[in-house]
Amino acid sequence: MLKQKYDIIFLSNIPSFYKVKQWNEVAKHKHVLIILTKVNCDDRNADFVSESLNCEYEFLQGNICKKGWQLAQILRNTKFDHLVIGGWNEPTFHVAAWLSPRSKNAVVCESSIFEYQPSAIKDIIKKYFLNRISIGYPSGKPQGRLLRKLGFSGDLHYTGGCGLLNYIDQPPFESRNKVRNFIYVGRLAPEKNLEMLISVFNSFPHLTLTIIGFGPMEAQLKAIAGKNILFTGAIPNKELATYYQQADCFILPSIREPWGLVVEEALNNGCPVIVSDKVGCNEDLVTDETGIVFQYDKPTSLTEAIKKICDIDSYNRLRHGVSKMDFAKRAQKQIEIYLD
């Protein structure tokens, strides 16, 4: 029996909408197989995994041993030029790196150097894994530095993102005469640093902060929030554009944030941003022309960032800078990076 031949096999965990969009576009040019280790994600909106896969795919099922066996059977019965592994945070990913020749193996790196915490055992495991990889696909500069920190010596191909969002045509520049409405989008979880965000906004009663999302800290955060802070709960991904465009500024104060897809969404909707220095995309997307970076553990730093962006001249300069960003070009790069 002839083995099925693929140009690229993507091994990933959850079929998130932005990954599926990317795979579907790559599949228009290459023969692609998607192998997934999970069906859904309980801590995300229902539409997070609603995008339809328009290429061949397989779901691995059962425990770790069963998934490893299924993966081995798929790889044994196929021919492929490249195996693109979606990270190193699952045992199945490590198994894949040893089942496939090193020369064919690549890894997607969306974790950044900002998250890195030395661990002798974990670092050894990661380095053994990376020794089986020939190409790294870091999202941006901090992700590339993490790969080098872990001893990866292969080629780095920077993708510029984590997948294809619900991109729109970049809104043209329109000046505003005041800055009042701020927005946060994401999980209500400890790593998002929302207690500090709320504490700071409690000292700005004339400004409004809209918090979109859900999570384990919802009741706790509502209990400490002033009247100027609004909680909407979950909003479907395709409806977020309206909220970004109505807001004056988006804030992401995270203690840990591998990349920050919501930062891309905000900027693509014409909204300047304030992000912490732990947000993985801050070096690639947040410049002096598009937003402000503050120190994640210093409330005074966030306070000063808010005051700065409330200066209407500074704000409209940022808004003009955001309007010049080319997200169509960024999206195309994330497709073409796998076509070379």
Side-chain angles (χ1 to χ4, degrees):
M1 180 182 294
L2 292 176
K3 293 184 177 181
Q4 180 67 279
K5 172 69 168 64
Y6 296 99
D7 297 312
I8 308 173
I9 295 179
F10 287 99
L11 173 63
S12 191
N13 46 23
I14 303 164
S16 54
F17 72 93
Y18 51 89
K19 291 291 187 188
V20 174
K21 284 175 176 286
Q22 182 184 44
W23 297 332
N24 285 343
E25 289 300 316
V26 174
K28 292 179 180 179
H29 307 275
K30 298 284 188 178
H31 193 193
V32 168
L33 172 66
I34 311 299
I35 304 176
L36 297 162
T37 64
K38 297 179 182 178
V39 177
N40 52 39
C41 184
D42 294 335
D43 61 354
R44 302 281 189 166
N45 286 9
D47 62 347
F48 188 77
V49 293
S50 63
E51 195 76 21
S52 297
L53 273 163
N54 298 329
C55 53
E56 296 178 55
Y57 62 91
E58 297 276 357
F59 278 105
L60 304 182
Q61 300 179 24
N63 58 30
I64 293 172
C65 292
K66 289 182 179 179
K67 288 180 178 179
W69 175 254
Q70 293 167 46
L71 177 63
Q73 295 306 303
I74 293 171
L75 296 181
R76 188 183 71 177
N77 293 312
T78 58
K79 288 185 177 181
F80 53 92
D81 294 332
H82 301 286
L83 173 64
V84 180
I85 305 171
W88 52 65
N89 60 336
E90 291 196 19
T92 311
F93 296 168
H94 290 257
V95 171
W98 289 94
L99 291 175
S100 171
R102 180 186 181 278
S103 60
K104 295 186 176 184
N105 293 343
V107 66
V108 174
C109 182
E110 295 169 0
S111 297
S112 79
I113 192 68
F114 306 139
E115 303 170 75
Y116 176 66
Q117 296 180 339
S119 168
I121 295 176
K122 290 182 179 180
D123 284 359
I124 289 173
I125 294 172
K126 292 173 184 176
K127 287 177 180 179
Y128 269 109
F129 170 81
L130 290 173
N131 282 337
R132 297 291 305 163
I133 304 296
S134 62
I135 296 175
Y137 289 108
S139 302
K141 298 173 187 175
Q143 292 74 22
R145 292 207 300 278
L146 175 60
L147 285 173
R148 294 304 190 208
K149 178 71 175 180
L150 293 171
F152 179 68
S153 58
D155 294 336
L156 296 182
H157 298 180
Y158 290 89
T159 64
C162 296
L164 304 184
L165 303 179
N166 297 310
Y167 293 118
I168 64 169
D169 291 337
Q170 195 72 359
F173 170 69
E174 291 183 1
S175 64
R176 295 191 176 181
N177 55 24
K178 63 180 179 180
V179 180
R180 183 172 182 271
N181 299 311
F182 292 74
I183 188 174
Y184 163 86
V185 179
R187 295 185 68 244
L188 310 189
E191 68 272 12
K192 300 300 184 178
N193 206 14
L194 297 177
E195 287 181 293
M196 188 183 85
L197 179 65
I198 287 174
S199 175
V200 169
F201 266 88
N202 282 342
S203 65
F204 288 104
H206 62 292
L207 303 178
T208 64
L209 171 65
T210 299
I211 294 178
I212 296 176
F214 62 95
M217 294 188 68
E218 184 170 348
Q220 178 181 344
L221 296 173
K222 286 180 176 179
I224 63 173
K227 294 181 179 180
N228 60 323
I229 299 172
L230 311 174
F231 293 80
T232 69
I235 299 293
N237 287 307
K238 292 184 179 180
E239 295 179 16
L240 286 174
T242 300
Y243 290 85
Y244 288 125
Q245 292 174 26
Q246 289 176 348
D248 296 312
C249 177
F250 170 80
I251 299 186
L252 187 61
S254 304
I255 297 170
R256 296 188 308 276
E257 194 73 47
W259 175 250
L261 291 165
V262 285
V263 177
E264 282 192 74
E265 289 179 336
L267 292 169
N268 180 226
N269 281 278
C271 188
V273 300
I274 296 175
V275 306
S276 83
D277 54 0
K278 294 295 185 178
V279 173
C281 67
N282 81 65
E283 293 183 14
D284 293 87
L285 289 177
V286 187
T287 68
D288 291 340
E289 295 183 344
T290 61
I292 300 172
V293 179
F294 73 94
Q295 292 178 268
Y296 81 100
D297 57 348
K298 293 188 176 181
T300 54
S301 181
L302 175 55
T303 298
E304 289 305 311
I306 293 170
K307 289 179 178 178
K308 182 176 180 180
I309 210 165
C310 281
D311 176 83
I312 198 61
D313 291 332
S314 296
Y315 175 77
N316 280 322
R317 178 180 57 80
L318 291 175
R319 196 166 186 88
H320 183 260
V322 172
S323 72
K324 295 188 292 183
M325 297 184 76
D326 190 341
F327 278 90
K329 184 177 180 179
R330 294 185 63 85
Q332 189 61 32
K333 178 181 178 181
Q334 292 195 66
I335 300 167
E336 292 177 349
I337 199 78
Y338 295 109
L339 303 183
D340 294 337

